[in-house]
Amino acid sequence: MIDLHNHLLAGLDDGPESFAESKMILDKSAKQGIVKLLATPHKKDVLESKSSGIVVNQVHLLNEYATQSDLNIKVFVGMENHLDDNLCHQAMNGIAFTINYGSYILVEPPYTDSFDLDFYSQLNELQANGLFPLIAHPERMKGFKNNPNLIENLKNTGNFIQITSGSVLGKFGSAVEFFSKTLLDLGLVDVISSDTHMFKGKREQDLLDAYRVISKEYGEEFAENIFYKFPETCLLGN
Ligand SMILES: [Fe+2]
């Protein structure tokens, strides 16, 4: 599997505070069969603390640790980018990190009750500059109002959809679980990622549990596409 949304880097956002815990998250991810993992600290926190260099350095240190410990996993540079008027400029200038420096970008919509024209024009601007927005966890956001039409519209206008493994597993409540299944049934989900924030607890690495549920309910080929093939396309960046 490939995990495209993970806050395992230490001391940057609401992920772990210690690098020791980062390594524990990496161990657990490898044990679950994750072979590639995108580090996605929140852009806001990274830029406020001027920590872009720390992101790159920690990814490097985690890859060194993986090699030394014989873990079959590789970590890549990314970011969870909240969408605003600055994002396109920041992404084009390497201030906001795209997925593995390629043309896909993990975008977090604003936590609002509904989306105005700015939301759609900011996504359009990213696309007009050659980027492919991957929308982070819409199933958990009230702006989407459990409305698959809003998500279908995003898909039809050149965006891609990432949902969270914990949503499928019922960790965010039955309404989110139901909405996630609806999106899966309608073929509106491109990738399921963990959005891990900690070694142990509600936001722990649980991608394997979700893989088991999805492969049982939707079949191996379906699971292969959303846990490996599409994420690999995002990492390759073209
Ligand atoms: Fe996240």
Side-chain angles (χ1 to χ4, degrees):
M1 293 179 290
I2 295 176
D3 189 2
L4 284 188
H5 190 154
N6 196 307
H7 297 264
L8 86 166
L9 300 185
L12 291 171
D13 58 5
D14 51 351
E17 288 178 10
S18 74
F19 191 63
E21 188 174 350
S22 301
K23 290 191 281 190
M24 288 160 72
I25 292 171
L26 195 66
D27 281 330
K28 187 189 268 189
S29 300
K31 278 195 188 106
Q32 291 191 15
I34 293 161
V35 291
K36 296 176 184 177
L37 183 153
L38 187 74
T40 56
H42 290 285
K43 179 187 78 174
K44 185 170 184 294
D45 297 319
V46 172
L47 296 191
E48 277 176 7
S49 58
K50 299 186 172 61
S51 303
S52 298
I54 295 175
V55 172
V56 176
N57 192 41
Q58 276 198 33
V59 167
H60 174 71
L61 291 174
L62 283 170
N63 282 322
E64 277 192 347
Y65 168 73
T67 303
Q68 286 159 7
S69 310
D70 258 339
L71 300 178
N72 181 26
I73 189 166
K74 183 157 193 248
V75 186
F76 295 84
V77 169
M79 216 174 232
E80 180 172 16
N81 297 287
H82 65 278
L83 187 62
D84 59 20
D85 274 337
N86 299 320
L87 179 57
C88 187
H89 171 80
Q90 290 169 333
M92 298 313 290
N93 289 282
I95 299 163
F97 291 152
T98 59
I99 295 176
N100 188 27
Y101 306 114
S103 35
Y104 286 81
I105 181 166
L106 185 64
V107 173
E108 183 184 40
Y111 283 82
T112 48
D113 288 335
S114 60
F115 301 114
D116 55 17
L117 284 176
D118 283 349
F119 171 70
Y120 294 99
S121 69
Q122 286 158 359
L123 288 173
N124 286 342
E125 189 188 7
L126 291 171
Q127 293 175 21
N129 283 276
L131 295 171
F132 302 113
L134 176 61
I135 309 294
H137 46 60
E139 83 285 2
R140 287 163 36 202
M141 308 184 84
K142 60 183 177 181
F144 290 97
K145 296 186 176 66
N146 290 339
N147 183 351
N149 292 336
L150 285 177
I151 293 178
E152 188 170 16
N153 178 41
L154 286 176
K155 286 270 294 173
N156 289 340
T157 51
N159 304 287
F160 297 89
I161 304 297
Q162 175 257 312
I163 68 169
T164 307
S165 42
S167 301
V168 174
L169 298 168
K171 292 184 180 177
F172 297 93
S174 54
V176 170
E177 182 183 356
F178 182 79
F179 189 34
S180 301
K181 298 278 173 70
T182 302
L183 297 177
L184 284 158
D185 290 342
L186 292 170
L188 297 175
V189 176
D190 295 291
V191 51
I192 297 182
S193 312
S194 74
D195 203 357
T196 295
H197 278 68
M198 57 188 63
F199 172 66
K200 192 143 190 59
K202 183 184 171 190
R203 311 297 301 279
E204 68 187 8
Q205 178 60 267
D206 55 9
L207 206 58
L208 182 57
D209 290 337
Y211 183 92
R212 287 181 173 138
V213 168
I214 297 299
S215 59
K216 190 164 171 236
E217 292 185 19
Y218 296 87
E220 284 290 335
E221 191 182 341
F222 187 93
E224 176 82 3
N225 280 332
I226 57 176
F227 287 92
Y228 190 81
K229 284 189 180 167
F230 181 74
E232 177 79 339
T233 300
C234 294
L235 276 180
L236 292 172
N238 47 38

